Amino acid sequence: MAQKLTLKKIAQDLKVSISTVSKALRDSYEISEETRKKIQEYAKQYNYKPNSIALSLKNQKTKKIGIIIPEIVHHFFATVISGVEHVANEKGYQVIICLSGESFDKEVVNMEMLANGSIDGFILSLSKETMSKQDFHHLREVINQGMPIVMFDRVADDIPGDKIIIDDVTAASEATDFLMRKAKKNVGILSTVDYVNVGRLRTQGYSEALMKRGVEVNQDLILKIEDIDHCDELIEKFIDNNPSLDGIVAVNELFAVTASKILLRKGKRIPDDVAIVAFTDGMLSKYSNPSLTTIGQNGYEMGGIAAAKLIDRLEQDQKDEERYETVIVKTSLIERESTP
Amino acid sequence: MAQKLTLKKIAQDLKVSISTVSKALRDSYEISEETRKKIQEYAKQYNYKPNSIALSLKNQKTKKIGIIIPEIVHHFFATVISGVEHVANEKGYQVIICLSGESFDKEVVNMEMLANGSIDGFILSLSKETMSKQDFHHLREVINQGMPIVMFDRVADDIPGDKIIIDDVTAASEATDFLMRKAKKNVGILSTVDYVNVGRLRTQGYSEALMKRGVEVNQDLILKIEDIDHCDELIEKFIDNNPSLDGIVAVNELFAVTASKILLRKGKRIPDDVAIVAFTDGMLSKYSNPSLTTIGQNGYEMGGIAAAKLIDRLEQDQKDEERYETVIVKTSLIERESTP
């Protein structure tokens, strides 16, 4: 038997993007009439039925949850999945995982695949490309079919659904304040470029903490890293340019442990000369030398809440769309050797 | 519509194990006639069709691959998945991941779920519980239905299918020999208990390397760790009991980095006083201080080979069961600061 016609196949055959096919089939004004017509006729000719199985199984429960995450080599996402598995299994649900690999197209095709009758609902953290495109039509499509989506960490504010996030501004502010309470006078931040949400929000929290204590924000003490693969050189230059630096907030443990190694190599003592607090409580923070004080993002808890929210919504009889919730999961400061 | 009857549901309803249900439905002699009859009648009464969808779709390709792995918070498995994704996507296949959580029952139900028409074939690393039970009936069932399985890392020797493994004995032998060539005279090994395959094989490789150079194996220099959560205390005692220890082979990076921290705390210099080589080339090895010389298991490559093997088998017309292959992936020694 032939391969089933999918969005991807239509896109390949007609040499247009997956997103264009998807939008044309929904008759979106964003696509020219000519292209729309061509795609719609092709789909009709080959009898393409968008999510036909999903429609026919509308009332049949699969007792399965689909997770789509950007990547797997990342402690945070791994802990979220463990949390989802725990709660889902307890409630008799099985879990299927797909990876977007930070690609918009892969997110769209994986979503189409799982929505085709394989699962009852989604738990989702958006790919970087989706965030930068701000194109959420695939989420709307699935929601319009009556399939609930719970988003975590990287969420689309305007999409109806429950959202599980941490308060990055408050967490970064607390970390900065913690260093200042330890008598650190020149606290800097190792952050990412602003288009990455968490980097922007954590830099904001850092600045707010300084201002609350009447300390002026010094732009020299803010490093915005774009290219993670070359963070070594950037961090070393940052340290050399700021000889009075005595505290560091890092938006991830990789930046923190890199800074720690460079400081030790230069003969600085941690935490006496420079203290460090890092986001992400992963293996690196726990086992590096010195071990790192971190802000735990409680991924396991986030995953559990996401699963519970989704299953609640799947098992309630009435739709209650007005009552979508955004849950803010508390972060926790875990003190280790890198702070006094 | 009601929930579909599954192995799990039958097991719950009749208060027997999933494995018992699965075996009874295949009329296995391992299950008493009474139980067999009870289960078969129940299944018949509720019209249970084992993998009925899979049978009906036998010739329809889904262009999807299912992966079942023990856990996700583990750098090695994450890199294998990346390798599978890369090759599978290139060849137009999508990838679905399920976790066994080291549980036999979860492995069985996930396998049943995915075999039900969702995918064309499996890539699998067995759960610890499956390895210790040596119960592979669920693999046989899927293979009997004509669905190929490629196993990696934790494999079942007697099950027909391609296997992708590393040569643990040779890798550990090379690591040990490397330390001896660096003039280390008293090399020890931090291993696991023998029922964990990799621990047993790596200890064997360590011993062979010593014997090849005419060094007698000293049991005091072999530590077999069962409880990973309390490895600190065991490793500290091991170090105290072996004051002449000048080299360590560790079967994972966690043991290595724990030993490194304890040695530094006791005023030893790495690598001058004690040199360290660890299995698993993960983040910890790369970013710990000092960074660790490791034996890379090339998970990305393993995943790629597994995907290529499976897709080859899916796309060949003739079954060629006599020619299942076991591919041994070469490990690579990555030198860093923990060795001279």
Side-chain angles (χ1 to χ4, degrees):
Chain A
M1 237 168 110
Q3 195 190 328
K4 201 174 135 278
L5 199 63
T6 60
L7 291 183
K8 193 176 169 186
K9 187 77 175 41
I10 299 176
Q12 281 168 347
D13 292 350
L14 299 182
K15 296 188 177 41
V16 294
S17 77
I18 289 169
S19 162
T20 300
V21 177
S22 175
K23 284 177 181 167
L25 292 176
R26 289 177 307 115
D27 222 22
S28 164
Y29 66 92
E30 291 174 62
I31 310 298
S32 75
E33 203 184 315
E34 192 194 352
T35 309
R36 240 187 294 167
K37 221 171 151 185
K38 187 174 73 180
I39 293 169
Q40 289 174 356
E41 277 171 7
Y42 189 86
K44 202 173 163 192
Q45 186 188 340
Y46 289 97
N47 203 22
Y48 174 73
K49 293 200 188 78
N51 293 327
S52 50
I53 307 176
L55 295 172
S56 75
L57 297 181
K58 218 169 181 173
N59 296 310
Q60 178 165 3
K61 300 292 186 197
T62 64
K63 294 277 244 175
K64 284 163 212 153
I65 289 175
I67 303 184
I68 300 181
I69 51 167
E71 45 156 338
I72 212 166
V73 192
H74 194 306
H75 190 77
F76 171 67
F77 288 121
T79 56
V80 172
I81 289 175
S82 302
V84 171
E85 287 267 353
H86 180 78
V87 170
N89 291 166
E90 239 177 35
K91 296 186 187 263
Y93 282 75
Q94 282 174 278
V95 177
I96 293 177
I97 305 156
C98 285
L99 305 180
S100 67
E102 303 287 12
S103 144
F104 173 76
D105 278 357
K106 255 190 95 175
E107 191 175 285
V108 172
V109 297
N110 279 331
M111 207 145 191
E112 181 199 26
M113 164 178 80
L114 292 180
N116 261 340
S118 301
I119 59 160
D120 298 336
F122 282 99
I123 293 174
L124 185 71
S125 189
L126 295 166
S127 81
K128 269 189 197 153
E129 205 185 342
T130 308
M131 293 298 273
S132 88
K133 273 179 187 262
Q134 293 280 307
D135 183 345
F136 307 123
H137 79 278
H138 51 309
L139 309 188
R140 289 189 205 283
E141 195 152 320
V142 162
I143 291 165
N144 288 343
Q145 280 170 34
M147 200 171 259
I149 298 179
V150 174
M151 279 173 276
F152 72 91
D153 195 44
R154 299 201 206 145
V155 306
D157 290 333
D158 299 341
I159 297 295
D162 297 307
K163 287 155 198 139
I164 326 288
I165 53 174
I166 70 162
D167 182 348
D168 283 294
V169 177
T170 304
S173 169
E174 284 174 1
T176 310
D177 199 71
F178 173 78
L179 288 173
M180 289 194 289
R181 274 185 282 126
K182 299 286 183 183
K184 298 297 179 184
K185 306 276 180 228
N186 291 289
V187 178
I189 183 166
L190 305 178
S191 187
T192 62
V193 284
D194 282 344
Y195 72 76
V196 180
N197 266 357
V198 294
R200 192 183 62 248
L201 296 172
R202 288 169 193 176
T203 305
Q204 182 190 330
Y206 158 83
S207 302
E208 285 178 9
L210 295 180
M211 290 186 293
K212 257 186 220 155
R213 285 183 179 262
V215 177
E216 212 177 317
V217 177
N218 175 357
Q219 292 301 327
D220 291 347
L221 287 172
I222 299 176
L223 178 64
K224 294 181 182 176
I225 297 169
E226 178 151 28
D227 181 4
I228 261 194
D229 291 334
H230 295 93
C231 70
D232 305 49
E233 301 141 46
L234 295 168
I235 292 171
E236 176 149 16
K237 221 167 103 185
F238 175 78
I239 287 170
D240 288 340
N241 290 344
N242 290 292
S244 60
L245 182 81
D246 60 6
I248 292 175
V249 175
V251 300
N252 60 51
E253 57 177 3
L254 194 65
F255 292 171
V257 84
T258 303
S260 164
K261 286 194 81 162
I262 293 168
L263 288 164
L264 292 172
R265 206 193 322 123
K266 290 181 184 292
K268 298 269 189 185
R269 291 163 306 162
I270 298 170
D272 299 356
D273 297 328
V274 184
I276 302 175
V277 181
F279 275 82
T280 322
D281 186 48
M283 299 286 273
L284 272 182
S285 303
K286 205 166 158 192
Y287 290 100
S288 67
N289 185 29
S291 58
L292 299 176
T293 294
T294 56
I295 298 150
Q297 288 165 271
N298 297 329
Y300 189 84
E301 192 190 341
M302 281 181 103
I305 295 172
K309 279 271 163 217
L310 182 62
I311 292 169
D312 272 1
R313 216 161 270 283
L314 291 171
E315 296 186 349
Q316 75 195 7
D317 284 337
Q318 299 285 316
K319 297 269 168 236
D320 197 359
E321 297 187 355
E322 293 310 303
R323 290 182 49 207
Y324 287 120
E325 254 187 281
T326 295
V327 180
I328 295 169
V329 174
K330 267 299 285 162
T331 56
S332 42
L333 192 86
I334 300 151
E335 293 189 49
R336 297 207 186 89
E337 295 164 0
S338 69
T339 51
Chain B
M1 239 170 107
Q3 196 190 328
K4 201 174 136 279
L5 199 62
T6 59
L7 291 182
K8 191 176 170 187
K9 186 79 175 39
I10 300 177
Q12 281 169 347
D13 291 351
L14 299 183
K15 293 187 179 44
V16 294
S17 78
I18 288 169
S19 165
T20 301
V21 176
S22 174
K23 285 176 180 167
L25 292 176
R26 287 177 307 118
D27 223 20
S28 164
Y29 68 92
E30 292 174 62
I31 310 299
S32 74
E33 202 183 315
E34 191 193 352
T35 309
R36 240 187 293 166
K37 219 170 151 185
K38 188 175 72 179
I39 292 170
Q40 289 174 354
E41 278 173 5
Y42 188 85
K44 202 174 162 190
Q45 187 187 339
Y46 289 98
N47 202 24
Y48 173 74
K49 293 198 188 79
N51 294 327
S52 51
I53 306 177
L55 295 173
S56 74
L57 297 182
K58 218 171 184 172
N59 296 310
Q60 179 165 3
K61 300 292 185 197
T62 64
K63 294 276 246 175
K64 283 164 215 156
I65 289 175
I67 303 183
I68 301 181
I69 51 167
E71 45 155 337
I72 210 165
V73 192
H74 194 306
H75 189 77
F76 171 68
F77 288 121
T79 56
V80 172
I81 288 175
S82 302
V84 171
E85 287 267 353
H86 180 77
V87 170
N89 291 165
E90 239 177 34
K91 296 186 186 264
Y93 282 74
Q94 283 175 276
V95 177
I96 293 177
I97 305 154
C98 285
L99 305 179
S100 67
E102 303 287 11
S103 146
F104 172 77
D105 277 356
K106 254 190 96 176
E107 192 174 284
V108 172
V109 297
N110 279 331
M111 206 142 191
E112 182 199 25
M113 164 177 80
L114 291 180
N116 260 340
S118 302
I119 58 162
D120 298 335
F122 282 100
I123 293 175
L124 185 72
S125 188
L126 295 166
S127 81
K128 270 189 197 154
E129 204 184 342
T130 308
M131 292 297 272
S132 90
K133 273 180 187 261
Q134 293 281 307
D135 183 344
F136 308 123
H137 78 279
H138 50 310
L139 308 189
R140 290 189 203 282
E141 194 151 323
V142 162
I143 291 165
N144 288 343
Q145 281 170 32
M147 201 172 259
I149 299 180
V150 174
M151 280 175 274
F152 71 92
D153 194 46
R154 300 201 204 145
V155 305
D157 291 331
D158 299 340
I159 297 295
D162 298 306
K163 286 152 199 145
I164 326 288
I165 54 174
I166 70 163
D167 181 349
D168 283 295
V169 177
T170 304
S173 169
E174 284 174 1
T176 309
D177 199 70
F178 173 79
L179 288 172
M180 288 195 289
R181 275 186 281 128
K182 298 286 182 183
K184 299 297 180 184
K185 306 276 181 229
N186 291 289
V187 178
I189 184 165
L190 306 178
S191 188
T192 61
V193 284
D194 282 344
Y195 71 77
V196 180
N197 267 356
V198 294
R200 191 184 63 249
L201 295 172
R202 289 170 190 175
T203 304
Q204 183 191 326
Y206 157 83
S207 302
E208 285 179 9
L210 295 180
M211 290 186 292
K212 257 185 222 156
R213 287 185 176 261
V215 177
E216 213 179 316
V217 177
N218 174 358
Q219 291 301 326
D220 291 347
L221 287 172
I222 299 175
L223 179 64
K224 294 182 180 174
I225 296 169
E226 178 150 29
D227 180 4
I228 258 193
D229 291 334
H230 295 93
C231 70
D232 305 47
E233 300 141 46
L234 295 167
I235 292 172
E236 178 151 14
K237 222 168 103 186
F238 174 79
I239 287 169
D240 289 341
N241 290 344
N242 290 293
S244 60
L245 181 80
D246 58 8
I248 291 176
V249 174
V251 300
N252 60 50
E253 57 178 3
L254 194 65
F255 292 171
V257 84
T258 303
S260 166
K261 287 193 80 159
I262 293 168
L263 287 163
L264 292 173
R265 208 196 317 127
K266 291 181 183 292
K268 298 269 189 186
R269 290 163 309 161
I270 298 171
D272 299 357
D273 297 330
V274 185
I276 303 174
V277 180
F279 274 83
T280 323
D281 185 47
M283 299 287 274
L284 270 181
S285 302
K286 205 166 159 192
Y287 290 99
S288 68
N289 187 25
S291 57
L292 298 175
T293 294
T294 56
I295 298 151
Q297 287 165 273
N298 297 329
Y300 188 83
E301 193 191 341
M302 282 180 103
I305 296 171
K309 279 271 164 217
L310 181 62
I311 292 168
D312 272 1
R313 217 161 268 284
L314 291 171
E315 296 186 350
Q316 75 195 6
D317 285 337
Q318 299 286 317
K319 296 269 168 238
D320 196 0
E321 297 188 355
E322 293 309 302
R323 290 180 51 204
Y324 287 120
E325 256 188 279
T326 295
V327 180
I328 295 169
V329 175
K330 265 302 284 164
T331 56
S332 43
L333 192 86
I334 299 152
E335 293 189 50
R336 296 207 186 88
E337 295 164 0
S338 69
T339 51

